[in-house]
């Protein structure tokens, strides 16, 4: 048994590849093989404009060159600088409106709550609270809303009995 080998027959009538299309095909194949960046692009691509060496570029990893004192010197006692108190300029509001604004001031209410709890306030906050409380008291007096506490002596039994009989009796609250 002899095996016959297949014989290649040239294709008749087939197109032959032109020189330009063959070059283009090879370029596409070469481009497909090479993926990524060109070798050495990390160093050559970032430098712009002539000479730039290590002396020109500062290494961001290096910290401050400011000298640090190795020996602790005695600190001078300085009063802490308080932030300048921003005084609110009165906008020429009516006394009733200004009183309502002071009573509804969130910052004042918070600071008064802190004072009630026994916390110490900064000098600037303390001065502001005192100023606002003084203005509140002044507005209350202007509007006649302050009840003056008169230091009355306790009424005698006869006076209380007379007030009771005259129907003017109003029981006193016990402190």
């Amino acid at each position: 048994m002899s095996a016959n080998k297949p014989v290649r027959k040239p294709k008749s009538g087939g197109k032959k590849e032109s020189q330009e299309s063959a070059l283009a095909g090879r370029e596409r194949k070469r481009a497909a093989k090479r993926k990524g960046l060109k070798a050495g692009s990390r160093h050559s691509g970032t430098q712009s404009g002539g000479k730039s060496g290590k002396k020109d570029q500062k290494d961001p990893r290096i910290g401050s060159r400011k000298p640090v004192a190795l020996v602790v010197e005695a600190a001078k006692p300085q009063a802490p600088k308080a932030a300048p108190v921003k005084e609110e300029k009165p906008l020429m509001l009516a006394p009733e409106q200004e009183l309502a604004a002071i009573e509804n001031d969130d910052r004042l209410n918070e600071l008064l709550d802190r004072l009630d709890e026994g916390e110490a306030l900064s000098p600037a906050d303390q001065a502001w609270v005192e100023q606002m409380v003084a203005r509140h008291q002044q507005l209350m007096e202007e509007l006649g809303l302050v009840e003056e506490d008169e230091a009355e002596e306790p009424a005698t039994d006869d006076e209380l009995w007379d007030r009771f009989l005259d129907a003017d009796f109003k029981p006193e609250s016990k402190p």
Side-chain angles (χ1 to χ4, degrees), residues 3 5-6 18 27 41 43 46 88-89 118 122 153 160 163:
K5 290 186 179 180
S18 68
E27 288 296 322
S41 64
H43 298 293
T46 58
E88 296 177 6
K89 297 179 182 176
S122 68
E153 296 179 14
L160 291 175
R163 283 187 11 205

Side-chain angles (χ1 to χ4, degrees), residues 108 112 115 121 123-136:
L108 180 63
L112 288 174
L115 278 175
L121 299 178
D125 287 341
Q126 183 68 35
W128 186 79
V129 167
E130 290 172 2
Q131 177 187 1
M132 296 304 283
V133 168
R135 181 64 182 153
H136 182 268

Side-chain angles (χ1 to χ4, degrees), residues 17 24 27 35 37-38 41 65 69 84 90 96 111 114 120 122 151:
E17 193 173 0
E27 288 296 322
K35 295 183 180 175
L37 298 175
K38 201 167 104 176
S41 64
R65 297 282 187 195
E96 297 89 6
L111 292 174
R114 286 175 51 192
S122 68

Side-chain angles (χ1 to χ4, degrees), residues 46-106:
T46 58
Q47 292 180 357
S48 60
K51 296 181 181 179
S52 62
K54 290 187 178 182
K55 292 182 181 179
D56 293 346
Q57 292 180 342
K58 184 176 178 185
D59 191 352
R61 296 173 293 177
I62 297 176
S64 173
R65 297 282 187 195
K66 182 178 176 183
V68 177
L70 298 178
V71 178
V72 179
E73 296 179 12
K76 297 178 183 177
Q78 294 179 351
K81 294 182 180 179
V85 178
K86 295 180 182 176
E87 295 185 24
E88 296 177 6
K89 297 179 182 176
L91 300 174
M92 299 308 241
L93 298 175
E96 297 89 6
Q97 293 173 340
E98 189 175 350
L99 182 65
I102 291 174
E103 288 176 349
N104 294 330
D105 190 357
D106 292 333

